[in-house]
Amino acid sequence: MQAIGQAVWVLGIVAWYVIRYPFERRARRVRVVNDQRSLTDKIGLASALFGMSVFPVIYLLTGFPKFADYPAKAWAIVLGALVFGLALWVFRRSHKELGRNWSISLEIREEHNLVSGGPYALVRHPMYTSFFLMAVGQALLLSNWVVGLVGLVGFAVLFFLRVDKEEHMMLEVFGPQYQAYMERTKRIIPYVY
Ligand code: SAH
């Protein structure tokens, strides 16, 4: 049972990369006009990367930390697969909508457009919504308390270090247009937060 959850997680991560790769390639060709990548943001990125891939991979390869293992349950794997699948769908939809405006960090690109359609009509940060869903999926699929927690905390660090700065940057660039957009949307959970 435990191995099934792990296999689903690995498949999910592979699918994640298949969705992201073309955007990483394209991002290299679109010029950046306003670069707000900071040390804080790099720490956040490293924290998310550690919690959502490095640490779980170490766990899969070595079994560490074994003391935190608990018996895998079928319902948790089914739910985990559904949540991870939903995360990938939101992830893909937001990449498509953001298109050439996408960046791994905080940057404004040449001819940057304010995107407010598709998933961006509901929340300002659907891609971050998808990361939280992925972290919940990870917690459900890998039956280990530490691995589950590290993923959620790892992404939360990136999110809370970044979100105010990102909205500030968008306000600086798009002014009243982003202000109005903020007034009609929530951050990551539609109608809630
Ligand atoms: N926070 C968004 C986007 C993440 S990608 C989300 O979770 O979906 C990060 C880059 O997206 C930032 O560098 C910023 O330039 C850009 N960005 C964020 N919101 C945007 C929007 N509504 N329209 C266009 N670009 C946006």
Side-chain angles (χ1 to χ4, degrees), residues 7 41 53 89 109 149:
D41 204 60
S53 62
W89 181 69
R109 294 184 178 272
L149 209 67

Side-chain angles (χ1 to χ4, degrees), residues 98 101-103 105-108 112-115 120 124-128 166 169-170 178 181:
L98 210 52
N101 301 304
W102 177 81
S103 284
S105 196
L106 296 188
E107 298 167 333
I108 295 293
H112 203 111
N113 296 314
L114 176 62
V115 172
Y120 288 88
R124 297 195 286 283
H125 308 289
M127 213 173 275
Y128 302 158
E166 178 163 345
M169 178 184 81
M170 297 301 285
Y178 196 73
Y181 173 61

Side-chain angles (χ1 to χ4, degrees), residues 66-138:
K66 226 174 188 74
F67 74 89
D69 270 349
Y70 60 85
K73 295 272 187 309
W75 68 262
I77 292 170
V78 172
L79 191 62
L82 288 173
V83 172
F84 212 112
L86 176 67
L88 288 173
W89 181 69
V90 178
F91 187 65
R92 186 165 175 278
R93 286 283 284 120
S94 14
H95 272 79
K96 292 251 170 226
E97 201 68 35
L98 210 52
R100 61 187 293 292
N101 301 304
W102 177 81
S103 284
I104 193 164
S105 196
L106 296 188
E107 298 167 333
I108 295 293
R109 294 184 178 272
E110 211 165 47
E111 292 169 41
H112 203 111
N113 296 314
L114 176 62
V115 172
S116 59
Y120 288 88
L122 277 177
V123 285
R124 297 195 286 283
H125 308 289
M127 213 173 275
Y128 302 158
T129 305
S130 77
F131 276 96
F132 273 119
L133 288 171
M134 241 178 279
V136 172
Q138 170 179 327

